[in-house]
Amino acid sequence: EVDVHGQTKAKATVTASAETSGTVASVDVTKGQSVKVGDLLCTLSPETRQAAVAQAQAALAQAEAGVAQAQADYDTNAQLRSKGLATPNSERPLSVALVAAKAGVSAAQAGLDNANAELGRTKIYAKAAGVVDDPIANVGTILSPALPGGATCATIVQMNPIIVTGSVPCFS
């Protein structure tokens, strides 16, 4: 029989952090709770992001209406030109306006995609399986990735495999 003195330690410790700034609306885990990849850990207050999504949706609808109007103007001008009622050079400004309106739709769509992505960042999920440990955020806390350590929602300790380190005394 040999006595071994040592320690056990986790394979890794993973910090689940907010990717955006916001106030913690809910903490969905407790210390000691086992989590798996994809489990919801914390939720940041989504109100301002939901408003940004609504605003981006409105901007997209407005841009799409602009394309419809620009297309109608272009088509009307084309009919008038075919009948000799509009000058041939009247097409250019309408063509440019149509291209600009279509670019406005692309920009509005990008704005909506960005607003939806930002809204998605209000949910913080486990990116590793393990056991929740301190520190855990509290409801009402402001998390901010701009501050050192200021974005931590929860800490996950990966316990599988567990690492054992020890020393065996030498006897002569």
Side-chain angles (χ1 to χ4, degrees):
E1 185 172 310
V2 177
D3 286 332
V4 177
H5 297 280
Q7 299 177 336
T8 59
K9 65 178 184 173
K11 173 185 171 189
T13 300
V14 179
T15 302
S17 299
E19 295 178 12
T20 189
S21 296
T23 303
V24 177
S26 69
V27 178
D28 301 282
V29 293
T30 57
K31 183 177 178 178
Q33 180 180 337
S34 292
V35 294
K36 56 187 180 303
V37 174
D39 284 353
L40 181 62
L41 304 174
C42 295
T43 302
L44 301 180
S45 186
E47 288 82 8
T48 57
R49 273 96 177 167
Q50 289 167 335
V53 167
Q55 188 175 26
Q57 288 170 332
L60 180 58
Q62 187 176 21
E64 288 170 341
V67 167
Q69 182 62 54
Q71 185 67 57
D73 292 348
Y74 182 85
D75 293 345
T76 300
N77 180 265
Q79 289 174 356
L80 292 173
R81 279 183 285 115
S82 72
K83 295 177 183 176
L85 300 173
T87 61
N89 66 350
S90 64
E91 176 201 14
R92 179 102 174 112
L94 295 171
S95 176
V96 168
L98 182 57
V99 169
K102 289 178 180 178
V105 168
S106 295
Q109 182 63 56
L112 178 57
D113 293 345
N114 186 47
N116 278 320
E118 189 66 15
L119 178 60
R121 291 184 191 106
T122 62
K123 302 249 184 223
I124 304 166
Y125 297 96
K127 294 182 181 172
V131 177
V132 176
D133 196 10
D134 287 329
I136 301 173
N138 294 312
V139 171
T141 301
I142 295 175
L143 300 185
S144 175
L147 301 173
T152 301
C153 163
T155 304
I156 300 169
V157 178
Q158 293 181 300
M159 301 299 286
N160 188 10
I162 195 156
I163 299 171
V164 178
T165 57
S167 59
V168 178
C170 294
F171 295 102
S172 36

